[in-house]
Amino acid sequence: MQKPSIPKGTRDFTPDEMAKRNYIFDTIKSVFRLYGYQQIETPAMEMLSTLMGKYGDEGDKLLFKVLNSGDYLAGIDPAEVASLGSTRLTNHICEKGLRYDLTVPFARFVVQNRDKITFPFRRYQIQPVWRADRPQKGRYREFYQCDVDVVGSDSLINELELIQIVDEVYRRLGIRVCIKINNRKVLSGIAEVIGEAERLVDITVAIDKLDKIGLDKVNEELAAKGVSAQAVERLQPILHLGGTNADKLADLRRILAPSETGLKGVEELETIFSLCGSVGIATPLELDLTLARGLNYYTGAIFEVKALDVQIGSITGGGRYDNLTGVFGLPGVSGVGISFGADRIYDVLNQLDLYPASSVEHTRVLFVHFGEAERLYCLPWLKALRANGVNAEVYPDCAKMKKQMSYADSKHIPYVAIVGETEMAADKVMLKDMATGEQQLAGLEEVMEQVKG
Amino acid sequence: MQKPSIPKGTRDFTPDEMAKRNYIFDTIKSVFRLYGYQQIETPAMEMLSTLMGKYGDEGDKLLFKVLNSGDYLAGIDPAEVASLGSTRLTNHICEKGLRYDLTVPFARFVVQNRDKITFPFRRYQIQPVWRADRPQKGRYREFYQCDVDVVGSDSLINELELIQIVDEVYRRLGIRVCIKINNRKVLSGIAEVIGEAERLVDITVAIDKLDKIGLDKVNEELAAKGVSAQAVERLQPILHLGGTNADKLADLRRILAPSETGLKGVEELETIFSLCGSVGIATPLELDLTLARGLNYYTGAIFEVKALDVQIGSITGGGRYDNLTGVFGLPGVSGVGISFGADRIYDVLNQLDLYPASSVEHTRVLFVHFGEAERLYCLPWLKALRANGVNAEVYPDCAKMKKQMSYADSKHIPYVAIVGETEMAADKVMLKDMATGEQQLAGLEEVMEQVKG
């Protein structure tokens, strides 16, 4: 006999958890589809040659590697096996790994399937990813990512539509959010005009922490990274830019005047804000110059979404990248995309208690009965209800009424149809509304009417 | 630059393939829900201690094992590493594996979550599984299983409902099938009455092949396994049982009279056929004594579903088992379940061309345009259509009309709204029906009306 367990950092999802997760994913998917995005899936395992080197040294270590099948030591000199050490032995005995994110598999997919897909290619993908991170609260070794990207189009209409998607998804979920926007070209321009173009990464990594560690610590970090005192001084007014988005853009236009790249970034931001204004976005949009998010990746717009009523990190983020597929031999494919953080959205909805009752309701009516004859009596009722699209069950065993009723309770079933001799004689059931406790004799039509809700 | 590839036996799913697969899964899921089944998910990785020994020696070899994270060789004597050999080294360097089916993880789930779930527990689970099988046509190393089971109930109502589910799923998919039914207790009874109770497995393995290899070969195999000539002779009339299901059951009742177990099996079959008769099952049901399907597992009903119009193996199968969770320390949990073969159903629908057009249609209307002003003009139209639930896109870039139209074609978009100066001036679009080629100037209301379909 074994006491069963699952690998640390992984989770089982019970029916109620699944129902809530499905509510989130279904909401997101239906919005994606409104905008013409199509679903793809890629294999859980990718070749390690596809994955390695894409996530930095740390990422390489966090990849789950899959042992080659069969006699994986065949062809390796036994003496060598002992001397190789873990890291180098891995190269000999593993050629596959579990996907670490959806971006690299997507890039690989686009290149490998370029003859089968239509550009601009609008895809969404909702699949689990695996990372051998140290498990901690809210961080798992298996979790779902939910990515939406369009590749093969430079148009800023795509940025607009991603903002519209965010706006609509959170409207439907009932979560109040704000969308922060920045632009990599503006960040480049800033580094340029303060005279530290080469230290772009250090600068943005530092100012990305402004919210968390405050201005003094940011300035300390900049100095520590070798950014000159003069440059740090020049940066200060930029970090203090205030007012409306339009005010900030006007100031930036002036500050970044010497930088062609910077001005291009300002122009992109102006276009995006203008497009948003023309269609009307209910969610507040905020130009945030401290937003960087894995900067090396992005080349244009950078997005991040924060929940307003819950203290939690970003719940959606993304941006534009210009060379996603270059590493796989297809250069010049520009794209823009965002990723919804399903686990965090799940937590936000739980904390704010925003799940609609229907999202955790599975069965509308349970038939409970006093014995075998009654159970048989239920079958045509069930058939008729199901034929009308009503999720319905009969308690399958002959059991005490209390047990049957508690089954209904724990499955959140809103109606129970009780069948005993009296009901059978009358060609009815005793229909009980579990919320109010009210009950009444009802024929099939009445049951149908009442439970359809 | 890398030429990308994916591990052998795995697949990418393109948008059209995903749409077809979603059509299958959505159809199946909505029927499951009609019957009160609830979805769960389990982690892709399970502890090898959970998986090993559950699928036979061959299965143990076909498990994908995941390398422990970090310095997985630490604590192993280097001299030993070289001498252990692949199989034994695996025990030292891997503690996790990818799930091989959904049954063992489900059993583990039930035991581990028994305080959170309600019995009888009706669950469905649709997730990929991984097997290091030799890839071949129609056999993959990663494929989805789609299982529906109820545990914690002995009632044959559950068998009835699984048959109703099969009936309804294939009715909705438009696939003509027949359902074959057998019972493990009847097979035990047969082995008993021909005097070979101990050779039950050999006998059923042999007669399971009747369809494929014919009666003579079956008899040869039985003899080769050591079944006595007398027993083989006694078996012949049983293999030749004909007529209706009722005829067969009547004959079996007579033949199995000396076997208590056999008669119990006959009685179960009689009850199931009678329940099916009382609710009316459109799908033909056939009592098939040669049906065994991994017999060791099943203890009561055994099911298999065959497509009538396509030569392909079983597309759904399952049965009742009495001790699913015993190995994990929870004895006495009886259950019954079936599994839908998604890949085969996919192939059947393709071969019979049964996908409804709507299943591969993503976007209802594409806006195409002659330039920037026209593109902006489309935005409020898109917003209005989407607000009414119509999936709509604008071609995001300024491109030649031909390119925009061919985008619509390859995405199977049924309507295109063409916008040029004339249309803008008239506050209209030129709406083209891509199937008929007809086009007409239309205002928003008319577009809405026409594309809603």
Side-chain angles (χ1 to χ4, degrees):
Chain A
M1 189 186 93
Q2 302 176 334
K3 193 175 181 310
S5 67
I6 51 178
K8 64 179 172 180
T10 70
R11 293 166 287 176
D12 282 327
F13 294 113
T14 62
D16 281 355
E17 287 164 342
M18 276 306 293
K20 289 177 172 182
R21 293 173 67 85
N22 283 338
Y23 165 69
I24 296 170
F25 289 132
D26 290 345
T27 301
I28 293 175
K29 280 192 229 177
S30 60
V31 177
F32 288 169
R33 289 198 204 105
L34 275 185
Y35 287 79
Y37 284 86
Q38 301 180 317
Q39 191 171 16
I40 68 161
E41 284 191 0
T42 61
M45 290 186 281
E46 293 276 352
M47 303 307 289
L48 280 176
S49 55
T50 299
L51 301 177
M52 297 286 282
K54 308 300 189 300
Y55 308 106
D57 290 348
E58 197 49 34
D60 284 353
K61 281 187 205 146
L62 299 183
L63 290 170
F64 281 107
K65 284 117 191 161
V66 177
L67 205 58
N68 294 340
S69 312
D71 183 8
Y72 55 87
L73 288 175
I76 314 179
D77 177 0
E80 210 190 346
V81 172
S83 68
L84 278 170
S86 294
T87 309
R88 280 182 301 152
L89 180 61
T90 305
N91 301 330
H92 290 82
I93 63 177
C94 299
E95 62 169 28
K96 297 180 290 295
L98 298 183
R99 88 183 140 240
Y100 182 88
D101 71 1
L102 300 180
T103 306
V104 168
F106 175 49
R108 198 263 314 138
F109 176 99
V110 168
V111 175
Q112 209 174 321
N113 296 281
R114 58 188 157 197
D115 299 332
K116 290 191 216 162
I117 59 182
T118 312
F119 294 95
F121 183 49
R122 303 166 159 247
R123 88 86 171 77
Y124 70 89
Q125 187 170 358
I126 301 177
Q127 290 191 276
V129 302
W130 296 271
R131 298 181 182 180
D133 258 321
R134 183 186 299 274
Q136 48 181 273
K137 191 179 176 316
R139 187 186 289 173
Y140 304 100
R141 291 186 149 195
E142 172 181 69
F143 59 97
Y144 272 77
Q145 288 195 337
C146 176
D147 282 17
V148 58
D149 290 83
V150 51
V151 292
S153 168
D154 293 324
S155 168
L156 294 172
I157 294 281
N158 300 304
E159 274 83 343
L160 166 68
E161 293 200 336
L162 291 175
I163 292 169
Q164 288 184 289
I165 286 174
V166 168
D167 182 51
E168 181 66 11
V169 163
Y170 289 109
R171 189 188 69 74
R172 292 187 181 194
L173 293 176
I175 300 176
R176 296 198 318 130
V177 298
C178 79
I179 303 176
K180 301 191 169 199
I181 306 183
N182 198 4
N183 189 295
R184 158 71 181 257
K185 298 187 183 81
V186 166
L187 291 172
S188 298
I190 291 172
E192 215 177 292
V193 300
I194 67 171
E196 296 278 8
E198 283 77 47
R199 291 213 169 78
L200 172 60
V201 174
D202 288 338
I203 293 168
T204 50
V205 166
I207 65 178
D208 194 32
K209 299 180 189 160
L210 190 61
D211 262 5
K212 278 188 204 138
I213 62 175
L215 184 60
D216 290 348
K217 297 261 181 207
V218 167
N219 288 338
E220 273 171 38
E221 183 170 326
L222 288 168
K225 291 280 181 190
V227 177
S228 74
Q230 195 189 20
V232 171
E233 204 187 300
R234 280 193 193 155
L235 184 61
Q236 302 308 303
I238 301 176
L239 295 182
H240 284 102
L241 281 190
T244 65
N245 295 322
D247 294 341
K248 288 183 197 167
L249 284 168
D251 287 340
L252 277 176
R253 200 166 253 295
R254 187 175 40 74
I255 296 166
L256 298 179
S259 162
E260 198 184 328
T261 307
L263 286 181
K264 180 78 173 60
V266 172
E267 201 176 287
E268 288 180 8
L269 283 169
E270 285 168 346
T271 303
I272 292 173
F273 280 112
S274 151
L275 286 170
C276 287
S278 80
V279 299
I281 303 287
T283 303
L285 304 173
E286 186 196 340
L287 171 55
D288 180 351
L289 294 174
T290 69
L291 182 63
R293 287 186 69 84
L295 166 97
N296 288 316
Y297 203 75
Y298 296 122
T299 54
I302 305 174
F303 303 111
E304 192 162 274
V305 180
K306 295 231 168 188
L308 295 180
D309 302 313
V310 174
Q311 284 287 355
I312 203 166
S314 127
I315 55 176
T316 295
R320 179 170 285 276
Y321 39 82
D322 271 349
N323 197 11
L324 181 71
T325 56
V327 66
F328 297 118
L330 187 65
V333 176
S334 179
V336 56
I338 54 175
S339 183
F340 286 82
D343 286 306
R344 286 192 175 167
I345 294 171
Y346 182 90
D347 289 343
V348 170
L349 289 174
N350 262 336
Q351 281 187 49
L352 301 177
D353 197 16
L354 287 176
Y355 289 103
S358 60
S359 70
V360 289
E361 182 200 298
H362 308 270
T363 295
R364 287 296 289 172
V365 55
L366 174 74
F367 285 74
V368 303
H369 51 83
F370 287 93
E372 253 183 78
E374 286 87 348
R375 190 174 56 178
L376 283 179
Y377 171 85
C378 299
L379 297 182
W381 290 71
L382 287 163
K383 187 175 179 179
L385 284 162
R386 289 167 180 158
N388 279 276
V390 177
N391 297 351
E393 293 180 55
V394 58
Y395 194 86
D397 300 281
C398 295
K400 286 194 178 138
M401 192 48 60
K402 197 180 160 196
K403 190 171 182 189
Q404 298 185 54
M405 294 302 284
S406 92
Y407 175 87
D409 254 347
S410 66
K411 277 188 89 171
H412 326 294
I413 299 175
Y415 294 96
V416 164
I418 305 163
V419 178
E421 278 180 16
T422 328
E423 288 79 14
M424 283 172 69
D427 224 357
K428 308 239 171 180
V429 299
M430 183 63 75
L431 187 66
K432 179 170 180 176
D433 180 327
M434 296 293 277
T436 64
E438 281 168 32
Q439 56 182 49
Q440 61 180 94
L441 269 184
L444 181 58
E445 289 302 317
E446 292 156 290
V447 173
M448 204 90 82
E449 184 68 24
Q450 186 149 0
V451 306
K452 271 210 157 176
Chain B
M1 190 186 94
Q2 303 176 334
K3 193 176 182 308
S5 66
I6 50 178
K8 64 178 173 180
T10 70
R11 292 165 288 176
D12 282 327
F13 295 112
T14 62
D16 281 355
E17 288 163 342
M18 276 306 293
K20 289 177 172 183
R21 293 172 68 84
N22 283 338
Y23 165 70
I24 296 170
F25 289 132
D26 290 345
T27 302
I28 293 175
K29 279 190 228 177
S30 60
V31 176
F32 287 169
R33 287 198 205 106
L34 275 185
Y35 287 79
Y37 284 86
Q38 301 181 316
Q39 191 170 17
I40 68 160
E41 285 192 359
T42 61
M45 291 186 281
E46 292 276 352
M47 302 308 289
L48 280 176
S49 55
T50 299
L51 302 176
M52 297 286 281
K54 308 301 190 299
Y55 308 106
D57 291 346
E58 197 48 35
D60 284 352
K61 283 187 203 144
L62 299 183
L63 289 170
F64 281 107
K65 284 116 190 162
V66 176
L67 206 57
N68 294 341
S69 311
D71 183 8
Y72 55 88
L73 288 175
I76 314 179
D77 177 0
E80 210 191 345
V81 172
S83 68
L84 278 170
S86 294
T87 309
R88 278 182 303 151
L89 180 60
T90 305
N91 301 331
H92 289 83
I93 64 177
C94 298
E95 62 169 28
K96 297 179 290 295
L98 297 183
R99 82 180 146 242
Y100 182 88
D101 71 0
L102 301 180
T103 305
V104 168
F106 174 51
R108 198 263 315 137
F109 176 99
V110 167
V111 175
Q112 209 174 322
N113 297 280
R114 59 188 157 196
D115 298 332
K116 290 190 215 163
I117 59 183
T118 312
F119 293 96
F121 182 49
R122 303 166 158 247
R123 87 86 170 79
Y124 71 89
Q125 187 170 359
I126 300 177
Q127 290 191 278
V129 302
W130 296 271
R131 297 180 184 181
D133 258 321
R134 183 186 299 273
Q136 48 181 270
K137 192 180 174 314
R139 187 187 289 174
Y140 305 99
R141 290 186 150 196
E142 172 181 69
F143 58 97
Y144 272 78
Q145 287 196 336
C146 176
D147 282 18
V148 58
D149 291 84
V150 51
V151 293
S153 168
D154 293 325
S155 167
L156 294 172
I157 293 282
N158 300 303
E159 274 82 343
L160 165 69
E161 293 201 335
L162 291 174
I163 292 169
Q164 288 182 290
I165 285 174
V166 168
D167 183 51
E168 180 65 11
V169 163
Y170 289 109
R171 189 188 69 74
R172 292 187 182 196
L173 293 175
I175 301 176
R176 296 198 319 129
V177 298
C178 79
I179 302 176
K180 301 191 169 198
I181 306 182
N182 199 4
N183 189 293
R184 158 73 180 256
K185 298 188 184 79
V186 166
L187 292 172
S188 298
I190 291 173
E192 215 177 291
V193 300
I194 67 172
E196 295 278 7
E198 282 77 46
R199 290 213 170 76
L200 171 60
V201 174
D202 289 338
I203 292 168
T204 50
V205 165
I207 65 177
D208 194 31
K209 298 180 189 161
L210 189 60
D211 262 4
K212 278 187 204 140
I213 62 175
L215 185 60
D216 290 348
K217 297 262 180 204
V218 167
N219 288 337
E220 273 171 37
E221 184 171 324
L222 289 168
K225 291 280 182 188
V227 177
S228 75
Q230 194 189 20
V232 172
E233 204 186 299
R234 281 191 191 155
L235 184 62
Q236 300 308 303
I238 302 175
L239 294 182
H240 283 102
L241 282 189
T244 64
N245 295 322
D247 293 341
K248 289 182 195 167
L249 284 168
D251 287 340
L252 277 175
R253 201 166 252 292
R254 190 176 37 75
I255 296 166
L256 298 179
S259 162
E260 198 184 330
T261 307
L263 286 181
K264 180 79 175 56
V266 172
E267 201 177 288
E268 289 180 8
L269 283 169
E270 285 169 345
T271 303
I272 293 173
F273 280 112
S274 151
L275 286 169
C276 287
S278 80
V279 300
I281 304 287
T283 303
L285 304 172
E286 186 196 339
L287 171 55
D288 180 351
L289 293 174
T290 71
L291 181 64
R293 289 185 67 84
L295 164 98
N296 288 316
Y297 204 74
Y298 297 122
T299 53
I302 306 174
F303 303 111
E304 191 162 275
V305 180
K306 295 231 169 189
L308 295 180
D309 302 313
V310 174
Q311 284 287 355
I312 203 166
S314 126
I315 56 177
T316 295
R320 178 170 285 275
Y321 38 84
D322 271 348
N323 197 10
L324 181 70
T325 55
V327 67
F328 297 117
L330 187 65
V333 176
S334 178
V336 57
I338 54 175
S339 182
F340 285 82
D343 286 306
R344 286 191 174 168
I345 294 171
Y346 182 90
D347 289 343
V348 170
L349 289 174
N350 262 336
Q351 281 186 50
L352 301 178
D353 197 16
L354 286 177
Y355 288 102
S358 61
S359 70
V360 290
E361 181 202 296
H362 308 271
T363 296
R364 287 296 289 171
V365 56
L366 174 74
F367 284 74
V368 303
H369 51 83
F370 286 94
E372 255 183 76
E374 285 87 347
R375 191 174 55 178
L376 282 180
Y377 171 85
C378 300
L379 298 182
W381 290 70
L382 286 163
K383 187 175 180 180
L385 284 163
R386 289 167 180 158
N388 278 275
V390 177
N391 298 350
E393 291 180 55
V394 58
Y395 194 87
D397 300 281
C398 295
K400 287 197 178 134
M401 191 48 60
K402 197 181 159 194
K403 191 171 181 188
Q404 298 185 53
M405 295 301 283
S406 94
Y407 175 87
D409 255 347
S410 66
K411 277 187 89 171
H412 326 294
I413 299 176
Y415 294 97
V416 164
I418 304 164
V419 179
E421 280 180 14
T422 328
E423 288 80 14
M424 283 172 70
D427 224 357
K428 307 241 170 177
V429 298
M430 183 65 75
L431 187 67
K432 180 170 180 176
D433 180 327
M434 296 292 276
T436 64
E438 280 168 32
Q439 57 181 50
Q440 61 179 91
L441 269 184
L444 180 60
E445 290 301 317
E446 293 156 290
V447 173
M448 206 89 83
E449 184 68 22
Q450 187 149 0
V451 306
K452 271 211 155 173

